[in-house]
Amino acid sequence: MARIFLVEDDPQVGELVKRFLEKEGLLVVWARTGREALKQAWEGTKPDLVVLDRGLPDMEGLEVLRSLRDLDPLLPVLLTGRAEEDSRVEGLLEGADDYLGKPFSLKELLARIKALLRRGGKEGRRYFGPLELDLEARKAYLDGQPLKLSATEANLLFVLAQTPGRVYTREELLARVWGPEFEGSERVVDAYIRLLRKKLKDDPQAPRFIETVVGMGYRFLGE
Ligand code: CA
């Protein structure tokens, strides 16, 4: 169940939104002031999305937004407030993921929330069968278990998985993962692919993830 952190000082709006979202199966934590919001954001369980009112009694909403961003640069934030275009642009420039002008319909709010949650899921994490890649944290999980990857192994995996289906030559992988200054042999790529396959429990004869393309290089198998 997605956790929504609602920051709204208007008791009527807050009550209405909270009840509606809960009826739609979302978990809602409601903070009524900027200070309360920041306190809860630091202490509570991490939310999946924040619905943040710009006009708060004690703090400017954008200030709360900036603090939330410091806490987690990827947390999806839907800013609500005055409907004027300037307000929207300003909010987006400050790092909100979306802006909803007031008054809004509850259905519109729900649609925006769902879109952001989908986007967050899609951009932040990618799933390839039993393999899950957390693109921001640069972590990989196989069957839900975190993989212990060295920095080089992780870089190699994330470069390959960035564009599934695309063939990368050893030369390209050397340049991308080891850097253009690296002067070692291209065989180092093969060695690291072997290490990676072992950790991914990937059989080169029947690969699930990394395929050898004879005479060319390697390719990550697509979704
Ligand atoms: Ca307000």
Side-chain angles (χ1 to χ4, degrees):
M1 190 188 293
R3 294 171 57 93
I4 308 297
F5 188 31
L6 171 67
V7 187
E8 173 62 68
D9 61 302
D10 185 320
Q12 269 176 324
V13 175
E15 192 64 48
L16 207 65
V17 167
K18 185 173 192 290
R19 239 187 289 155
F20 176 75
L21 294 181
E22 282 175 345
K23 217 177 73 211
E24 294 293 330
L26 298 162
L27 212 124
V28 181
V29 177
W30 178 17
R32 290 158 184 81
T33 65
R35 244 178 286 280
E36 196 188 325
L38 292 179
K39 188 164 173 275
Q40 286 189 19
W42 257 267
E43 290 171 356
T45 316
K46 195 181 155 238
D48 298 299
L49 181 139
V50 181
V51 178
L52 172 64
D53 177 29
R54 253 198 92 158
L56 294 168
D58 60 333
M59 283 172 85
E60 166 53 26
L62 292 182
E63 204 181 317
V64 178
L65 174 61
R66 280 191 286 271
S67 299
L68 289 172
R69 275 280 162 269
D70 287 343
L71 196 69
D72 181 353
L74 297 167
L75 180 65
V77 177
L78 171 61
L79 198 62
T80 63
R82 285 177 299 133
E84 286 84 40
E85 191 58 20
D86 300 359
S87 214
R88 176 189 166 79
V89 170
E90 200 181 2
L92 294 176
L93 283 176
E94 287 290 344
D97 297 285
D98 198 0
Y99 190 94
L100 191 54
K102 283 182 167 178
F104 50 76
S105 82
L106 291 170
K107 275 192 179 152
E108 179 65 22
L109 176 69
L110 183 66
R112 303 286 191 98
I113 287 175
K114 284 191 169 166
L116 277 180
L117 287 174
R118 268 200 306 274
R119 210 173 94 188
K122 219 174 166 190
E123 282 179 358
R125 293 188 176 234
R126 294 185 77 171
Y127 299 86
F128 304 94
L131 179 66
E132 175 185 347
L133 299 182
D134 184 334
L135 301 181
E136 301 307 328
R138 296 230 146 210
K139 287 203 167 112
Y141 302 83
L142 187 65
D143 294 317
Q145 298 300 311
L147 289 176
K148 285 197 183 113
L149 301 177
S150 71
T152 304
E153 289 164 356
N155 287 342
L156 182 58
L157 175 61
F158 280 89
V159 165
L160 283 168
Q162 205 167 32
T163 320
R166 177 186 183 297
V167 180
Y168 288 86
T169 64
R170 289 172 179 79
E171 197 184 354
E172 248 180 302
L173 290 170
L174 268 186
R176 291 280 296 272
V177 177
W178 282 265
E181 305 298 317
F182 183 80
E183 289 185 349
S185 146
E186 288 181 0
R187 274 192 224 149
V188 74
V189 176
D190 302 323
Y192 270 88
I193 291 280
R194 265 199 303 281
L195 291 172
L196 209 46
R197 277 178 168 155
K198 208 164 164 189
K199 291 188 181 176
L200 293 170
K201 300 193 175 82
D202 205 15
D203 176 4
Q205 304 308 320
R208 290 187 294 175
F209 307 118
I210 301 172
E211 185 185 36
T212 307
V213 184
V214 178
M216 292 181 76
Y218 296 101
R219 147 165 75 202
F220 196 85
L221 297 171
E223 284 123 302

